[in-house]
Amino acid sequence: MEAVTAFIEGPGCLLIVWGMLRAKPWRYTAILLVSLGQFYGDVLYFGTCIHGGIMRHTRPEFIYFWFYFVIVNGVWLVVPMACMVHAANKINNAISGTGLKKQA
């Protein structure tokens, strides 16, 4: 999963920035795809830790577990989800407005 993050999602983020600066219409699709990859990677990380036993994969200190393992990694669930919702709304709004004519 780290190779996907480094070689696909990393350049994908740069592509998103370029698309946002140039107001490219495909930027929302790119945001959706990269965010989905980030979300999947974090779910996979949490899932393997929970499956193998959380204490085998983390240190037992209270601060380390709650701050690093839960909060810091939890951010990588919340932010991509917010980006996916935003991008999906923009895509849905664009699709629903396609081909509609205003009634007089």
Side-chain angles (χ1 to χ4, degrees):
M1 191 66 212
E2 293 299 323
V4 171
T5 300
F7 296 112
I8 295 174
E9 293 172 5
C13 289
L14 295 175
L15 189 66
I16 289 168
V17 170
W18 182 73
M20 291 173 80
L21 292 173
R22 303 277 184 204
K24 299 290 185 182
W26 48 259
R27 68 188 182 270
Y28 296 111
T29 305
I31 289 170
L32 191 63
L33 292 173
V34 169
S35 296
L36 183 62
Q38 287 292 316
F39 188 82
Y40 173 75
D42 208 42
V43 168
L44 187 66
Y45 175 71
F46 275 122
T48 56
C49 288
I50 290 169
H51 178 70
I54 292 175
M55 288 306 143
R56 284 185 44 213
H57 295 282
T58 64
R59 293 176 22 193
E61 294 93 350
F62 179 81
I63 299 273
Y64 179 86
F65 177 78
W66 286 105
F67 180 71
Y68 172 72
F69 183 72
V70 175
I71 294 173
V72 172
N73 284 303
V75 168
W76 290 104
L77 290 173
V78 174
V79 172
M81 181 58 74
C83 290
M84 286 189 292
V85 168
H86 174 72
N89 285 335
K90 292 290 189 176
I91 292 169
N92 289 338
N93 290 339
I95 290 171
S96 68
T98 302
L100 295 179
K101 295 181 180 180
K102 291 189 176 184
Q103 298 290 332

